[in-house]
Each structure stands twice: as structure tokens, then as C-alpha cells.
Amino acid sequence: QVQLVESGGGLVQPGGSLRLSCAASGSIFSSLPMGWYRQAPGKQRALVAAITSGGSTTYTDSVKGRFTITRDNAKNTVYLQMNNRKPEDTAVYYCNRQYGLVRWGQGTQVTVSS
């Protein structure tokens, strides 16, 4: 069964850090590139970071130098370390394949506020 389960969200102050996790079923994870997406209120969902099975990463400009995406292929899990959080990072965060999207998980809410 196709399944993506995101966790680790919460409320964090500006400048704080948070680590998100995404557990994926094997058929999703496999050897495919995975990505973290986010959807802010009133905006479309957008890719913010991606990682290949070999560990090569790409980031959208707004998170470069602050976010780090990693994966553990043995655990079928992808992570997003978010440092130096900004209020504009407030969104629901999802993981999925970078290409060939499958059914979305429930996401995890991240709120950056003082």
C-alpha cells in the first residue's frame, strides 16, 4: 500500500531549528529521488528540497543554506533539517517523489512565530 507519513512539525520561534521526518513505503522510496514540499496558506504546494538515491541535493533559493535534506535508504525515510527558521517558512510540509507524484500524506504543520 502506498503510504507517506510525515512528522516532526510544530511551533518554533524565528531563528529556531526543527527536523522533519517522512517514512515512505518501499514502493515509493526505492531508488527514486525524493522531495520535501510545502504549502503556505493561500499558496500552491511547491518543492523546496530534493535528494537523489545517491545523496545529491537541490534546494529552492529561499531555503538554501538553511535547510538540509537527507535520506536513510535502509529505513525508507527522508529528513528535512530546518535551521534559522523565518516566519515565511510557516506552511504544511509534505514529502513525495520528486517526479511521478504518488498520493500525498497528511503533511506536518510548521509554524514560525514569536
Side-chain angles (χ1 to χ4, degrees):
Q1 183 176 357
V2 173
Q3 191 171 19
L4 291 161
V5 181
E6 300 92 349
S7 62
L11 174 64
V12 62
Q13 292 185 343
S17 298
L18 208 59
R19 189 194 195 204
L20 306 183
S21 299
C22 172
S25 63
S27 61
I28 301 173
F29 202 82
S30 188
S31 61
L32 298 173
M34 295 292 293
W36 277 98
Y37 301 74
R38 68 185 180 188
Q39 185 167 20
K43 296 187 177 181
Q44 291 187 333
R45 186 153 34 197
L47 180 69
V48 296
I51 185 168
T52 67
S53 60
S56 297
T57 58
T58 56
Y59 301 93
T60 192
D61 286 345
S62 62
V63 308
K64 282 181 181 177
R66 300 188 299 118
F67 289 12
T68 302
I69 186 172
T70 56
R71 66 191 289 165
D72 186 333
N73 292 332
K75 296 182 178 179
N76 286 352
T77 302
V78 61
Y79 305 96
L80 187 68
Q81 177 68 41
M82 303 180 293
N83 298 329
N84 190 21
R85 300 304 306 276
K86 301 178 179 180
E88 53 264 39
D89 294 327
T90 295
V92 180
Y93 284 73
Y94 304 86
C95 70
N96 209 314
R97 292 174 174 173
Q98 184 180 7
Y99 309 106
L101 298 174
V102 296
R103 185 174 64 187
W104 295 95
Q106 82 288 349
T108 186
Q109 174 70 49
V110 174
T111 302
V112 183
S113 175
S114 56

